[in-house]
């Protein structure tokens, strides 16, 4: 995808640098020979940022925009989905992480019952339909590297509906002039109705979080609000990049290689008859060749000839010995770039359970990072939904310190791997015995002992708060002690009464 373009760009840059050096040297020479030195003074009060729209101009120096150029990004937006559709390795690079992240569904909750009802209404809204559409959103985040969701809000109820803006229809993401890490607007290409739209990027807070200059800039973005999420991006002017960007050239090469091997395998099954005529001149050879071509031997037929004619079947020897090694080289190169073990792609080799788990550990670290970002995306959406509800009901922006529940929704995603709890269960038993012995010997406090047990219990998916648990244990011990004392007194009274009756 980018190989030939990179080489051409490098040659063009080298040529331009040479021309610039020649021109600069010539100008410097003319200036030194013909002109006297001139002193310039900066105008009083002049500062950087003369115009309010500095961000719209290209910088002559110090440009930190490392995004793909417009044509290259457009090509990425075409090639990445094409590879996902047509290339099996590319499809698995996208789909396997998606399955680990979302196969068992996602649960969104809030501790406040009213806010939970608002979240449920948003999640199950027939337009939003997040139970189905979330899978597509996360898939296309990986394919395109960025996602755009315009948000439409009912001003009376605060109800939020999400739309979708294709990344291919985005002309520019606008960043804060004073903070190139923060996107503030999204400008579309000219749509079918002839209009271009400029949206405000959603920030879960009041406009006062921005500088005055940025606030004035965002006032011109009057076509609505939009969520913008990106991955594989830089801090400054960080447009997202597809998970397939680095691999696309090699994926295409691998496809060509496999198709070539298929053609070679098909050709290797073909054969021709080599017929040798002994003592025949060219006329006899041509005559016999014409006879054979007009009536070639059919499969299973019998060919009869005398000792002056020899028949031999010749099949091609195309030398396929290195095919498997080359295929493995290409495949591992791509999978290494995607941080995925070959054992996930039908390459068992010498993999057993022990080293298979070790090979997959870096992959699960990468997946955990992506899972964390998806959780962030969903929390941003839920916070926005609750903010709009609060604004519609109360008419003011919620205070984070007062309405903390609005900003603290929970997103629970499934475990990506099934834990082998047998090892942790055995370890828990040994730790409990050791902790109990240490407490008895006065080497540990109850709280520290429970903290050690909690560390192992956490591996089993059980969270223990030592301070809270100890308080409950003390209450439970006191209750048991009181119950035992009461029972002992009752039994003592019964025994005393029985002795009196006997006397």
């Amino acid at each position: 995808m980018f190989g030939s373009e990179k080489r051409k760009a490098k040659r063009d840059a080298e040529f331009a640098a040479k021309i610039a050096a020649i021109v600069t040297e010539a100008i410097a020479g003319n200036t030194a020979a013909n002109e006297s030195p001139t002193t310039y003074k900066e105008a009083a009060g002049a500062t950087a940022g003369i115009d309010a729209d500095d961000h719209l101009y290209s910088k002559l120096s110090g440009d930190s925009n490392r995004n793909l150029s417009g044509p290259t990004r457009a090509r990425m937006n075409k090639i990445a989905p094409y590879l996902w559709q047509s290339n099996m390795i590319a499809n698995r690079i996208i789909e396997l992480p998606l399955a680990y992240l979302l196969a068992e569904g996602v649960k969104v909750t809030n501790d406040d019952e009213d806010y939970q009802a608002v979240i449920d209404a948003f999640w199950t809204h027939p337009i939003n339909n997040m139970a189905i559409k979330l899978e597509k959103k996360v898939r296309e985040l990986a394919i395109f590297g960025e996602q755009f969701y315009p948000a439409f809000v009912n001003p009376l109820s605060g109800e939020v509906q999400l739309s979708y803006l294709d990344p291919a229809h985005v002309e520019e993401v606008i960043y804060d002039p004073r903070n190139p890490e923060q996107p503030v607007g999204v400008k579309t290409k000219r749509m079918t109705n002839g209009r271009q739209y400029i949206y405000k990027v959603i920030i879960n807070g009041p406009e006062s979080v921005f500088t005055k200059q940025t606030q004035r800039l965002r006032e011109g973005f009057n076509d609505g609000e939009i969520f913008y999420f990106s991955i594989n991006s830089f801090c400054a002017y960080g447009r997202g990049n597809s998970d397939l960007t680095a691999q696309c050239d090699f994926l295409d090469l691998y496809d060509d290689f496999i198709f070539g091997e298929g053609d070679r395998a098909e050709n290797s099954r073909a054969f021709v008859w080599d017929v040798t005529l002994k003592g025949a001149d060219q006329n006899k050879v041509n005559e016999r060749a014409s006879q054979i071509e007009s009536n070639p031997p059919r499969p299973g037929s019998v060919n009869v000839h005398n000792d002056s004619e020899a028949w031999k079947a010749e099949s091609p020897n195309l030398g396929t010995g290195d095919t498997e090694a080359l295929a493995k080289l290409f495949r591992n190169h791509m999978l290494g770039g995607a941080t995925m073990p070959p054992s996930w792609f039908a390459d068992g080799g010498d993999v057993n359970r022990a080293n298979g788990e070790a090979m997959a550990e870096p992959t699960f670290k990468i997946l955990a990072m992506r899972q964390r970002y998806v959780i962030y995306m969903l929390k941003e959406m839920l916070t926005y939904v609750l903010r709009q509800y609060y604004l519609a009901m109360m008419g003011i922006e919620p205070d984070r310190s007062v309405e903390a529940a609005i900003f603290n929704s929970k997103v629970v995603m499934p475990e990506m791997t099934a834990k082998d709890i047998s090892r942790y269960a055995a370890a828990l038993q040994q730790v409990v015995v050791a902790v109990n012995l240490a407490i008895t010997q006065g080497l540990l406090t109850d709280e520290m002992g429970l903290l050690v047990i909690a560390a192992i219990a956490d591996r089993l998916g059980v969270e223990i708060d030592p301070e809270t648990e100890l308080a409950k244990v003390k209450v439970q011990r006191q209750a048991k002690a009181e119950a035992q004392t009461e029972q002992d007194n009752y039994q003592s009274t019964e025994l005393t009464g029985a002795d009196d009756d006997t006397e």
Side-chain angles (χ1 to χ4, degrees), residues 343-421:
S343 57
W344 287 17
F345 288 78
D347 185 6
D350 297 326
V351 177
N352 54 37
R353 181 173 182 179
N355 60 27
E357 290 180 356
M359 290 170 62
E361 185 175 354
T363 306
F364 287 120
K365 292 294 184 182
I366 295 294
L367 294 182
M369 289 175 60
R370 182 60 55 84
Q371 184 182 69
R372 189 160 53 99
Y373 190 78
V374 173
I375 290 173
Y376 156 76
M377 288 173 53
L378 294 177
K379 290 186 72 171
E380 284 292 291
M381 293 181 192
L382 298 179
T383 300
Y384 180 76
V385 168
L386 296 179
R387 278 183 56 238
Q388 296 307 311
Y389 171 75
Y390 190 88
L391 281 167
M393 296 297 105
M394 307 301 295
I396 58 173
E397 184 75 35
D399 189 328
R400 286 179 177 267
S401 60
V402 177
E403 294 292 337
I406 290 178
F407 302 91
N408 291 324
S409 297
K410 298 180 180 63
V411 178
V412 181
M413 302 189 76
E415 290 285 344
M416 286 185 285
T417 58
K419 291 182 178 179
D420 182 7
I421 65 173

Side-chain angles (χ1 to χ4, degrees), residues 90-105:
N91 183 275
R92 293 301 90 189
I93 288 175
I94 299 296
E95 292 299 311
L96 283 175
L98 182 66
Y100 273 101
L101 292 176
L102 300 178
E104 298 176 21

Side-chain angles (χ1 to χ4, degrees), residues 158-325:
E159 180 184 73
V160 176
Q161 294 183 21
L162 296 183
S163 181
Y164 181 80
L165 176 62
D166 193 322
H169 294 159
V170 174
E171 180 175 289
E172 180 186 7
V173 175
I174 302 167
Y175 291 84
D176 189 329
R178 301 301 180 198
N179 180 10
E181 189 177 18
Q182 179 59 55
V184 295
V186 174
K187 182 181 179 181
T188 70
K189 297 179 180 178
R190 197 166 298 280
M191 310 300 269
T192 55
N193 60 2
R195 282 195 56 189
Q196 284 183 296
Y197 297 88
I198 304 183
Y199 297 96
K200 291 180 182 178
V201 170
I202 291 173
I203 303 294
N204 279 312
E207 287 293 301
S208 60
V209 298
F210 295 110
T211 63
K212 295 294 184 182
Q213 180 186 8
T214 306
Q215 291 179 45
R216 289 194 299 270
L217 176 65
R218 280 170 61 91
E219 286 174 0
F221 304 163
N222 51 16
D223 290 314
E225 294 187 310
I226 192 169
F227 285 105
Y228 174 53
F229 302 108
S230 65
I231 57 173
N232 305 325
S233 57
F234 295 103
C235 288
Y237 309 104
R239 294 289 300 270
N241 295 290
S242 170
D243 282 345
L244 301 177
T245 301
Q247 289 95 342
C248 60
D249 286 328
F250 299 100
L251 288 165
D252 186 56
L253 179 63
Y254 186 74
D255 259 358
D256 290 343
F257 174 79
I258 294 297
F259 277 112
E261 288 304 308
D263 291 339
R264 181 161 68 172
E266 186 174 351
N267 290 334
S268 67
R269 294 198 301 268
F271 71 94
V272 296
W273 285 107
D274 180 84
V275 181
T276 302
L277 301 179
K278 298 178 181 179
D281 58 16
Q282 187 62 44
N283 292 332
K284 290 289 186 181
V285 170
N286 293 341
E287 180 182 353
R288 182 57 176 151
S290 177
Q291 292 173 355
I292 294 174
E293 289 175 357
S294 63
N295 186 26
R298 296 185 302 275
S301 63
V302 177
N303 182 47
V304 181
H305 58 87
N306 59 25
D307 60 356
S308 65
E309 185 173 296
W311 286 64
K312 182 181 178 182
E314 296 283 359
S315 59
N317 182 9
L318 302 179
T320 59
D322 295 334
T323 298
E324 184 176 355

Side-chain angles (χ1 to χ4, degrees), residues 67-106:
N67 290 320
L68 298 175
S69 64
T72 307
R73 180 168 294 279
R75 185 164 173 76
M76 181 193 73
N77 286 337
K78 288 183 178 180
I79 288 180
Y82 171 77
L83 288 173
W84 175 78
Q85 290 174 304
S86 61
N87 185 290
M88 290 181 285
I89 300 292
N91 183 275
R92 293 301 90 189
I93 288 175
I94 299 296
E95 292 299 311
L96 283 175
L98 182 66
Y100 273 101
L101 292 176
L102 300 178
E104 298 176 21
V106 176

Side-chain angles (χ1 to χ4, degrees), residues 2 113 154 159 304 337 383 448:
F2 301 116
E113 293 183 1
N154 185 325
E159 180 184 73
V304 181
T383 300
M448 181 55 68

